[in-house]
Amino acid sequence: VVDVVALGESMVTFLPGRPGRLADVPSFDRAIGGAESNVVCVLAAAGHTARWVGRVGADGFGDHLVERIAGYGVDVSSVSRDPARPTGVYFRTAGERGTGAHEVAYYRAGSAASAMSADNVDLAAARAGRVLHLSGITAALSDDCRALMHTLTAARPGRPLLSFDVNHRPSLWRTAGDPLTLLDLARRADIVFVGEDEAAQAWGVTGGPQAIRAALPEPGVLVVKQGERGATAFERRPAATPPAFEPALHVDVVATTGAGDAFAAGFLSATLRGLPARERLRHGHLFAAAALTAPGDLAAPPARDHADRLTALDGA
Ligand code: KDG
């Protein structure tokens, strides 16, 4: 059984050749992105077995994505190709010093992945792992994708552990309906990752981790990401387990994109290894630090024995 399967849209990503506005940057370097495939690429690099289920166009960008993701050791045999729709792409600018603000321009409307549905996605392959990792981005891609998310998150016997990263992307929801859908989807998951900022933007829930937990009591594990401060994990079992908080690492940030995915990968890696909550959070922060200090979405996580030495709780 494969450890983790992730399903979602991946895109060829264009990283700016220099800082500045989208209007001014003259050249871009090709890389790969896609929140869900980022998670499995990092997990595969960290020694887990992983599969990505997605849909790309029958075009060169689709070839590039499939080849690059496979290059991380991820199983791509269930990725389907759409002869009629293109692979999505997106461009972004460098974060402004201080605020990190940057521009993102998606060219993904009508993409091959936006046509994913229960009829053209291999559901058995999606459900064949110990963990199925999904994100709220998919729910914003189309009505079909939203229906697919409801199918995959429905309770059923033998369902894999369902991991859900809320990944609220406000620009996608401008045309996609109500981001409260993300709350419904999160309620059906076993492990949920959500940023404090996302809970405020998408659901109007402010007041910190406890308030978010009160709005989302169902998942067995809820991880609230608090940006540079750290992250808090709430667990329902064993009963009355107090929330665990771990501060984030201080690093010189090169680009924040992909850091949330790396965090999820670190947390899931430690979950698969049966580590306690605080160590799972520490692995999340450590993997995120690697992504934060690289220009693209993806960075190699630290080797497992090194990560274990850095995150062990003994003497903490
Ligand atoms: O988490 C990183 C992703 O946001 C990036 O790779 C692009 O998947 C992406 C999206 O839809 O924003």
Side-chain angles (χ1 to χ4, degrees):
V1 179
V2 57
D3 289 335
V4 183
V5 179
L7 176 145
E9 175 164 36
S10 298
M11 292 169 289
V12 169
T13 306
F14 290 93
L15 305 176
R18 64 173 202 214
R21 304 183 308 155
L22 199 54
D24 297 327
V25 176
S27 63
F28 294 81
D29 287 323
R30 184 189 56 178
I32 63 167
E36 302 84 359
S37 61
N38 287 345
V39 170
V40 280
C41 285
V42 175
L43 280 162
H48 297 275
T49 52
R51 168 183 298 153
W52 172 55
V53 178
R55 193 166 172 81
V56 297
D59 50 27
F61 284 155
D63 294 342
H64 182 68
L65 276 175
V66 171
E67 288 164 18
R68 286 286 305 277
I69 292 169
Y72 280 85
V74 173
D75 171 25
V76 294
S77 57
S78 306
V79 177
S80 56
R81 313 289 294 235
D82 187 327
R85 297 180 183 83
T87 304
V89 303
Y90 87 101
F91 294 76
R92 65 182 159 86
T93 63
E96 266 173 42
R97 215 176 273 252
T99 64
H102 62 283
E103 292 168 75
V104 172
Y106 290 125
Y107 297 88
R108 68 195 305 182
S111 68
S114 72
M116 284 190 295
S117 75
D119 297 329
N120 60 26
V121 158
D122 185 342
L123 294 178
R127 290 173 172 144
R130 290 170 65 192
V131 176
L132 171 60
H133 179 77
L134 301 170
S135 107
I137 294 169
T138 309
L141 300 180
S142 67
D143 293 344
D144 278 349
C145 283
R146 200 153 37 249
L148 174 62
M149 288 294 284
H150 281 105
T151 302
L152 288 171
T153 55
R156 70 198 302 272
R159 189 182 86 168
L161 201 65
L162 195 72
S163 162
F164 181 72
D165 192 334
V166 171
N167 271 344
H168 178 232
R169 298 285 181 268
S171 65
L172 295 178
W173 285 96
R174 252 173 245 141
T175 48
D178 189 350
L180 281 174
T181 307
L182 298 174
L183 193 54
D184 292 336
L185 291 171
R187 292 205 158 106
R188 297 156 161 243
D190 302 301
I191 303 176
V192 172
F193 301 93
V194 62
E196 262 183 326
D197 50 346
E198 294 177 311
Q201 271 178 342
W203 308 329
V205 178
T206 52
Q210 298 285 356
I212 297 171
R213 183 51 158 171
L216 191 47
E218 296 86 353
V221 178
L222 172 67
V223 181
V224 178
K225 298 179 287 177
Q226 298 160 269
E228 289 170 8
R229 272 170 297 142
T232 300
F234 295 86
E235 289 195 279
R236 263 216 318 273
R237 285 207 195 85
T241 309
F245 172 80
E246 279 296 316
L249 298 166
H250 292 292
V251 293
D252 287 327
V253 175
V254 175
T256 55
T257 322
D261 308 328
F263 181 92
F267 190 91
L268 291 176
S269 168
T271 300
L272 286 162
R273 297 173 56 213
L275 300 180
R278 285 181 59 201
E279 287 189 32
R280 280 179 262 152
L281 291 170
R282 288 179 173 204
H283 278 268
H285 289 318
L286 198 60
F287 281 36
L292 286 166
T293 50
D297 278 31
L298 283 159
R304 186 173 291 183
D305 58 346
H306 188 214
D308 283 346
R309 274 199 301 279
L310 290 171
T311 56
L313 283 170
D314 298 343

